Amino acid sequence: MTDIPLTPQIASAPIGDEDASAVSWGAIAAGAVAALAMTTVTASLAAGLGYGFGGPWAGQRLTPDDFNPYAGAAMVTAQVLSAALGGYLAGRLRTKWKYVHDHEVFFRDTAHGLLAWALATIAMVALGGLTLAHPAADAVVATPREADLAAQFAFFLGTGLLLSAFTAAVAAAIGGGRRDDMHAEYRKR
C-alpha cells in the first residue's frame, strides 16, 4: 500500500476545518424535494401515456390489465430520472470543502446523492401512506393472478429503487465535480 502524498495546502490545513459535519443537509433536502417533484411529473406523463402504476396496496385491487411490463418500465424510468435530478442537485449545491483529498470529495458527493435519494424515497413512502401490513394482508386473500401482479409490481419497484439509488450517487458525483471545476475556473481569472 502506498501513501498518498499531501499537497502543501492539505498538509498545512487549519486544524478546525474538519470539525464541522461533512454533510450538507440543505443540499440533500433540496435534491430530495426536486426528486419528489420530478417523480410527480414523470408519473403524470406516464399516466397520460397510459402507463399508470398505482401499487397493489390496500383498497387498490389490481386487475390483469392494471399492470404490465410496460407500466413497470415506465415506473423504473420515472424513478431513475427523478433520482438523477435529485442526486445532481445534491452534489452541485453542497458546500465547498477545503483541504480535502479528491477521493474524499468524490465519496462525499456520492453520499450526498444517496442521502437525497433515501430522503426522497422515505418521503414518498410516507406521503403515499404505504405500509408493509397492507400488501401482506391482501396477498393472503388475493387470487393467484393478483398475487402474480403484486409480485411483478414488487420486482419492478425493487429494480427501480436499486437503479435510482445508484443513479443518484453517480449524478451527485458528476454535479459535485462540475461545481468544483467551475470554482477552479473562476479562481483562475
Side-chain angles (χ1 to χ4, degrees):
M1 187 168 157
T2 61
D3 290 331
I4 299 173
L6 296 176
T7 63
Q9 294 86 4
I10 294 174
S12 64
I15 301 297
D17 269 9
E18 289 301 314
D19 289 344
S21 173
V23 179
S24 298
W25 284 107
I28 291 167
V33 168
L36 286 169
M38 181 60 106
T39 299
T40 303
V41 170
T42 54
S44 298
L45 287 172
L49 294 171
Y51 300 118
F53 38 81
W57 317 116
Q60 294 181 331
R61 283 285 184 210
L62 293 177
T63 66
D65 297 327
D66 284 341
F67 193 79
N68 57 47
Y70 298 115
M75 181 172 62
V76 170
T77 301
Q79 290 173 316
V80 169
L81 290 174
S82 300
L85 175 65
Y88 183 82
L89 286 176
R92 191 71 191 264
L93 295 175
R94 57 113 173 124
T95 58
K96 174 86 173 132
W97 296 302
K98 297 180 182 179
Y99 314 113
V100 177
H101 192 277
D102 289 340
H103 296 286
E104 181 65 16
V105 170
F106 182 80
F107 170 77
R108 290 179 184 186
D109 285 338
T110 56
H112 276 74
L114 189 61
L115 288 171
W117 166 83
L119 183 60
T121 300
I122 290 170
M124 185 62 76
V125 169
L127 290 173
L130 305 177
T131 64
L132 296 176
H134 293 303
D138 284 351
V140 173
V141 295
T143 66
R145 177 67 181 142
E146 289 172 331
D148 183 49
L149 288 173
Q152 287 180 30
F153 180 84
F155 172 78
F156 280 104
L157 180 64
T159 301
L161 288 172
L162 285 172
L163 286 173
S164 62
F166 176 76
T167 302
V170 170
I174 292 169
R178 181 70 181 125
R179 179 190 186 284
D180 290 345
D181 291 345
M182 289 179 65
H183 278 269
E185 283 295 318
Y186 178 74
R187 288 199 168 80
K188 285 181 184 178
R189 295 179 189 176

